[in-house]
Amino acid sequence: MRFILLASLLCAAPVAAQSDWTTVQQPAIWLNTFVDHAVSTRTAFWFDGHWRRMGVGAEPQQLLLRPGVQVTLRPGLRAGAGYAYIATAPYGESPNAFPLREHRAWQQLSLATQLADVSLSQRLRWEQRWGASVVDGTLGTLQYQQRLRYAARAQRNLGTAVNGRALLGFVANEFFLPVGHSDAARKRLQNRAQIGLGVPVGARQRVELGYMHQWNRITPRETHEINHTMTLSWYWTARR
């Protein structure tokens, strides 16, 4: 919980310092899937996919596909790496001028621990990103960026669901920090704070419904973008 509060404070500082910027607030819907499927006692195939829409789903926002591999280093500690493809549309009240396409490599460490009846997880992810605009159907020159992401999540069982399996409640926060760029236009900060409920629907599956407060600092347009996002996520976990 301390990590979640710290990330929230890091987010609030630049907002306060740039109060003269334009602020836009808009609704969004994200449909997500997460697959964590063991292929050996220590190694697992990972995939997460995200279909993101603005408003009540009518306006496209982003498609993200992220396969990878995770390796258990010791109980609770895992290392992972993989690739991601991202297609972003001009969206919302402060849109990009053109659609964006991005190819991304990522590496991460994740740690899962237990504190009484609360399950805690933390993830530190490093990303190498190559992105460009699509103008008149032509992809421009890919520009390189790096980014560090830190996520923390706490969850606990809340009781018994109708199907006999325990409901869970969760809170989470993730902070994004661009690293090593002198170009201020690339220093786009982001923070995602979430709260929600999860329902196990089988030994390996669960569904989560949540609310996410997503904040983006869009430097070129001096805009704070706040997306009030409903999330619906499906998880598949098969461990050996």
Side-chain angles (χ1 to χ4, degrees):
M1 295 298 294
R2 287 176 296 177
F3 296 106
I4 296 174
L5 291 173
L6 176 60
S8 299
L9 291 173
L10 287 171
C11 170
V15 174
Q18 299 165 341
S19 58
D20 56 328
W21 284 23
T22 300
T23 298
V24 298
Q25 304 202 39
Q26 49 205 1
I29 295 175
W30 288 14
L31 303 178
N32 313 308
T33 184
F34 299 89
V35 174
D36 185 359
H37 190 89
V39 295
S40 73
T41 54
R42 295 185 57 201
T43 306
F45 167 75
W46 171 269
F47 173 79
D48 62 293
H50 307 262
W51 190 55
R52 299 168 176 173
R53 312 285 292 185
M54 297 302 295
V56 294
E59 182 185 352
Q61 183 189 28
Q62 191 174 72
L63 173 69
L64 188 153
L65 305 173
R66 183 164 36 215
V69 174
Q70 297 214 67
V71 177
T72 300
L73 304 178
R74 62 173 177 80
L77 180 63
R78 305 174 82 191
Y83 163 79
Y85 170 76
I86 302 94
T88 305
Y91 69 87
E93 298 180 31
S94 183
N96 294 316
F98 303 100
L100 303 176
R101 299 293 182 268
E102 181 181 335
H103 300 277
R104 184 183 302 173
W106 58 271
Q107 307 83 40
Q108 69 179 36
L109 286 174
S110 59
L111 177 66
T113 55
Q114 194 73 24
L115 181 63
D117 60 349
V118 178
S119 299
L120 303 173
S121 62
Q122 301 174 67
R123 187 193 71 220
L124 188 66
R125 178 180 290 169
W126 183 262
E127 295 177 330
Q128 301 83 48
R129 311 169 64 197
W130 294 266
S133 299
V134 179
V135 182
D136 296 329
T138 301
L139 183 67
T141 302
L142 294 174
Q143 301 294 317
Y144 179 67
Q145 301 181 40
Q146 301 176 100
R147 185 167 68 183
L148 187 67
R149 300 168 59 162
Y150 173 75
R153 172 176 164 131
Q155 69 180 46
R156 68 182 299 270
N157 289 344
L158 300 179
T160 302
V162 176
N163 62 2
R165 300 181 183 276
L167 285 169
L168 61 88
F170 68 87
V171 293
N173 200 88
E174 184 172 16
F175 185 69
F176 299 63
L177 181 67
V179 176
H181 300 295
S182 59
D183 183 357
R186 296 188 180 185
K187 294 185 177 180
R188 175 169 174 161
L189 297 178
Q190 184 179 161
N191 194 79
R192 300 175 182 175
Q194 298 186 65
I195 187 170
L197 293 171
V199 183
V201 293
R204 297 178 174 180
Q205 301 179 67
R206 77 176 185 273
V207 174
E208 291 186 355
L209 178 65
Y211 165 76
M212 180 176 67
H213 183 279
Q214 182 194 25
W215 168 74
N216 284 313
R217 186 190 75 174
I218 307 175
T219 305
R221 298 190 290 281
E222 296 190 348
T223 298
H224 295 300
E225 178 186 82
I226 298 174
N227 297 324
H228 300 282
T229 306
M230 185 189 79
T231 62
L232 179 62
S233 304
W234 174 76
Y235 287 81
W236 170 274
T237 303
R239 300 279 180 86
R240 293 188 183 181

